């Protein structure tokens, strides 16, 4: 059984409703996205997954006799589901309801209790054709092909008798490492891997120790602290066998003042003028330098490129999971993210440049990035960049934030997009 007994499966909800008589109508709130999205591999086909949470209020007849004499009760249900999209075509492929919370004791004409509204969901990771996720405090393994549930708390205990009655009742006791990781109630660690969902003893890998490089005198170098919020912009690239930068005048001056080469080694430590930054292309020369006994590389001869366009909040599109600029497959193209405006009407744009730093195409995306709330997620997929973000707009004094999925062909700049979680 689930570790939270108030949860009702959707089939149980329907069964309970059958004897209550017909309902007049249901009102659904817009679905809410749960946790960050993920790119799932369905037998070699990329699929973008998002988890959703949606509230339904159903009017149920509880009276007898004529319709005018009937009484009605409002029952509230909280539905959790998953939606899959073709990331290149930005088209929905399928959606699956995974779990519904409701009040099993609802009766009479009083509104049902609202159960499950405080619960949340998030994706953990993929192991083969099984995608693991959490809803509330319970794990679920679902098929990468269609989202059908292939494992839950009850199944895990049936397949693995040693887990009977010992599954943790807190989401924080679950994790992912090429499979579902869990700590049992008696403080043992297990991992569930493979299509059979067999649990084996798990030993966490040793923590990665960040070792600071040593200076010539044997003392560790003081490594600059990374930004606490958000990822630093990628402002350096090696393009056409030359160093290329994207900086404001103030940022470039900070990089040039680099006596020990630390700003070249740790580019995130260069001054960042943020959302108001007006950046241009810079070229520079990487040289070997020495200070006392320490040898290092640094940027010299830093100069703005003549005729460079100005980019609001400009930064290079980076390699997935790396702090280095993404280059076109032929090595003759580089891509720059930038904003169209600094205010709420601003949109995210992407421009491709050729080997001579001439623009090839520019595409404006239906995405906002004028606020720290409007986070952008990207995935390179088959010659495209897939982007997920939010389009923020205001009408009659009401601000709306609509999640959007965008796909851009990196060769032509052609764009496709759709609104998510409808």
């Amino acid at each position: 059984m689930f570790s939270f007994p108030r949860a009702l499966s959707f089939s149980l909800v329907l069964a309970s409703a059958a004897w209550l008589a017909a309902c007049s109508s249901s009102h659904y709130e817009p679905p809410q996205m749960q946790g960050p999205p993920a790119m799932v591999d369905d037998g070699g086909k990329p699929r973008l997954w998002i988890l959703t949470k949606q509230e339904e209020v159903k009017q149920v007849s509880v009276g007898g006799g004529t319709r005018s004499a009937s009484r009605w009760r409002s029952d509230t249900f909280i539905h959790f589901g998953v939606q899959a999209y073709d990331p290149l075509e930005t088209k929905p492929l399928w959606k699956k309801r995974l779990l519904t919370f409701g009040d099993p004791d609802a009766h009479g004409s009083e509104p049902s209790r609202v159960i499950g509204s405080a619960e949340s969901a998030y994706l953990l990771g993929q192991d083969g054709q099984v995608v693991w996720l959490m809803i509330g405090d319970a794990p679920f393994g679902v098929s990468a092909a269609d989202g059908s549930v292939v494992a839950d708390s009850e199944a895990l205990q049936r397949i693995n008798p040693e887990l009977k009655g010992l599954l943790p009742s807190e989401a924080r006791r679950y994790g992912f490492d090429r499979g579902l990781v869990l700590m049992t109630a008696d403080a043992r660690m297990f991992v569930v891997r493979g299509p059979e969902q067999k649990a084996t003893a798990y030993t966490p890998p040793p923590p990665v120790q960040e070792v600071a490089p040593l200076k010539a005198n044997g003392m560790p170098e003081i490594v600059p602290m990374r930004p606490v919020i958000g990822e630093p912009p990628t402002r350096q690239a090696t393009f056409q066998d030359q160093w290329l930068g994207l900086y404001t005048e103030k940022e470039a001056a900070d990089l040039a003042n680099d006596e020990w080469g630390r700003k070249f080694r740790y580019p995130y430590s260069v001054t960042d003028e943020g959302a108001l930054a007006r950046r241009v292309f810079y070229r520079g020369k990487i040289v070997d330098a020495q200070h006392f006994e320490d040898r290092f590389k640094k940027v010299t001869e830093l100069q703005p490129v003549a005729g460079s366009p100005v980019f609001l909040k400009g930064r290079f599109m980076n390699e997935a999971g790396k702090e280095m600029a993404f280059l076109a497959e032929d090595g003759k193209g580089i891509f720059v993210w930038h904003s169209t405006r600094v205010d709420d009407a601003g949109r995210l744009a992407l421009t491709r440049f050729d080997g001579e730093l001439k623009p090839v195409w520019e595409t404006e995306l239906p995405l906002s990035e004028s606020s720290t709330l409007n986070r952008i997620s990207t995935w390179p997929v088959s010659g495209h960049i897939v982007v997920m973000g939010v389009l923020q707009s205001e009408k009659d004094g009401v601000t709306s934030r609509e999640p959007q999925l965008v796909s851009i062909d990196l060769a032509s700049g052609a764009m496709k997009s759709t609104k998510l979680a409808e």
Side-chain angles (χ1 to χ4, degrees), residues 66-81:
T66 65
R67 181 177 179 85
S68 61
S70 297
R71 292 181 300 164
W72 302 88
R73 184 183 71 242
S74 295
D75 284 352
T76 300
F77 303 99
I78 307 296
H79 305 294
F80 285 89

Side-chain angles (χ1 to χ4, degrees), residues 325-402:
F326 180 92
L327 303 182
E329 291 183 357
D330 59 5
K332 298 179 180 179
I334 195 165
F335 305 86
V336 176
W337 292 114
H338 53 102
S339 297
T340 60
R341 298 167 58 104
V342 298
D343 54 18
D344 289 342
R347 298 291 179 259
L348 178 66
L350 181 66
T351 303
R352 174 173 175 157
F353 292 87
D354 63 16
E356 303 299 322
L357 295 184
K358 302 299 183 184
V360 178
W361 51 255
E362 180 174 319
T363 301
E364 181 178 322
L365 289 69
L367 299 175
S368 305
E369 65 158 5
S370 57
S371 166
T372 55
L373 295 176
N374 300 327
R375 299 186 61 183
I376 304 294
S377 301
T378 61
W379 302 265
V381 180
S382 303
H384 295 69
I385 187 70
V386 177
V387 191
M388 185 175 157
V390 170
L391 177 61
Q392 183 171 311
S393 59
E394 184 172 330
K395 184 177 181 181
D396 299 329
V398 178
T399 299
S400 62
R401 303 178 72 253
E402 299 177 344

